[in-house]
Amino acid sequence: MAVDLHSHSTASDGSEKPAALIEQALEIGLTALALTDHDTQGGIADAKLAADPTELELIPGTELSLEYDEGGMHLVVLWLEPGPGPLQDRLLELRHGRDRRNEMMAHRLTELGMPVSAAEILEEGGSGSIGRPHIAAVMVRKAYVETIEEAFELWLTSGKPAYIGRPRLPPEEAIQLARASGGVPILAHPHTLGINRAHEMANLLTRLIPAGLVGIEAFCAGYRRHEREGYADLARRFGLVPAGGSDFHGAYKPGLSLGTGYGDLVVPDSVVDELRSHAGVR
Ligand code: AMP
Ligand code: ZN
Ligand code: FE
Ligand code: FE
């Protein structure tokens, strides 16, 4: 039995509606799906409505980008119930930070000779948590670039001319807020940390575990088998649960499927019960 513990819908930068994700998850026979839209739980209510009459377990979640200069550090938080709460309340501030940043990036792109307006980005992103994939899609639509990937490579990633950062939570604080909210914090797609020495990874985990980190993603799309096994071993050595998912974004990540990733991903359902045992423990 397989699950998917990392996915995005139209509530952030996925192209598919929450209900469509539930439908796809059922079609491919997943037993659990976590909806982890960036900085928002705006899709959870619709996902629950669609999942409730079915056998599929919908795990409410979100994904946060954290302060970490050495690389990209993302935190997936599972079993975070929508509504008021220590972390839930902070999501609103993070979305305001996104809005200001999107306006600044539109301005920067315009200065660079590629006119993009905040209104065009809003139109692409809809009512959800809007970010760079939407900006990239506008750039494709206006023929400034051919693909979303090209928009990132030439303009939108850190260090490129149109990149602008946004407010992020410090890692320990995000993990503590997640636990204080009853959620289960998991270090996402660890390769983006930019760490390639074992002792650096050990130092980082030694910092994050006392804050309350529960898991680290090992089952990621695009990882080779030895990488999945390596991260799963690392997790176990540190008393963490190896987690993972497809990081499905629909059309914003072409070729990547829910559940199976690039075709060879299997996230075992056994990790769900292990992770769940930490939910609601404050
Ligand atoms: P943001 O949250 O606005 O900073 O944008 C982050 C999103 O951009 C994530 O969903 C990533 O998957 C996506 N992203 C980051 N780098 C790339 C890339 N090189 N190509 C395509 N998508 C990317
Ligand atoms: Zn995303
Ligand atoms: Fe991520
Ligand atoms: Fe993600």
Side-chain angles (χ1 to χ4, degrees), residues 6 8 38 63-65 74-76 188-189 192 247 249 253:
H6 188 156
H8 300 269
H38 303 276
E63 182 179 13
L64 306 167
S65 304
H74 291 185
L75 191 74
V76 159
H189 41 66
T192 64
D247 204 359
H249 281 74
K253 280 196 183 177

Side-chain angles (χ1 to χ4, degrees), residues 13 38 98 101 131-133 148-149 152 157 166 249 253:
D13 56 3
H38 303 276
R98 279 182 175 275
R101 181 253 213 143
R132 286 179 291 161
I148 286 184
E149 192 55 41
F152 272 93
T157 50
R166 57 189 173 84
H249 281 74
K253 280 196 183 177

Side-chain angles (χ1 to χ4, degrees), residues 98-276:
R98 279 182 175 275
D99 293 344
R100 284 194 299 275
R101 181 253 213 143
N102 291 335
E103 282 168 25
M104 287 194 278
M105 285 182 72
H107 187 76
R108 180 74 66 80
L109 284 165
T110 302
E111 281 177 347
L112 289 164
M114 295 171 281
V116 166
S117 69
E120 286 169 317
I121 299 172
L122 265 171
E123 199 185 316
E124 175 69 30
S127 59
S129 181
I130 300 179
R132 286 179 291 161
H134 301 112
I135 299 177
V138 172
M139 293 173 74
V140 172
R141 187 147 44 80
K142 300 186 87 171
Y144 300 147
V145 290
E146 282 184 11
T147 62
I148 286 184
E149 192 55 41
E150 188 187 334
F152 272 93
E153 267 165 33
L154 297 179
W155 305 103
L156 304 178
T157 50
S158 176
K160 297 300 175 183
Y163 177 80
I164 291 175
R166 57 189 173 84
R168 290 157 188 260
L169 292 174
E172 289 90 340
E173 186 182 345
I175 290 167
Q176 284 158 1
L177 282 168
R179 293 304 293 270
S181 308
V184 175
I186 294 163
L187 193 59
H189 41 66
H191 70 286
T192 64
L193 293 164
I195 294 178
N196 39 39
R197 289 172 197 276
H199 76 272
E200 284 172 20
M201 185 61 90
N203 286 346
L204 179 66
L205 294 179
T206 311
R207 230 179 94 191
L208 302 184
I209 288 168
L213 188 68
V214 171
I216 179 165
E217 286 188 345
F219 309 103
C220 296
Y223 284 11
R224 312 277 303 260
R225 204 176 81 172
H226 73 270
E227 291 172 301
R228 288 176 190 153
E229 289 171 355
Y231 283 120
D233 284 350
L234 176 78
R236 294 299 183 196
R237 270 189 279 125
F238 282 84
L240 297 170
V241 183
S246 63
D247 204 359
F248 178 75
H249 281 74
Y252 290 102
K253 280 196 183 177
L256 180 75
S257 303
L258 194 73
T260 54
Y262 294 109
D264 65 342
L265 182 70
V266 181
V267 186
D269 65 350
S270 57
V271 302
V272 172
D273 288 336
E274 280 190 78
L275 291 165
R276 193 203 326 270

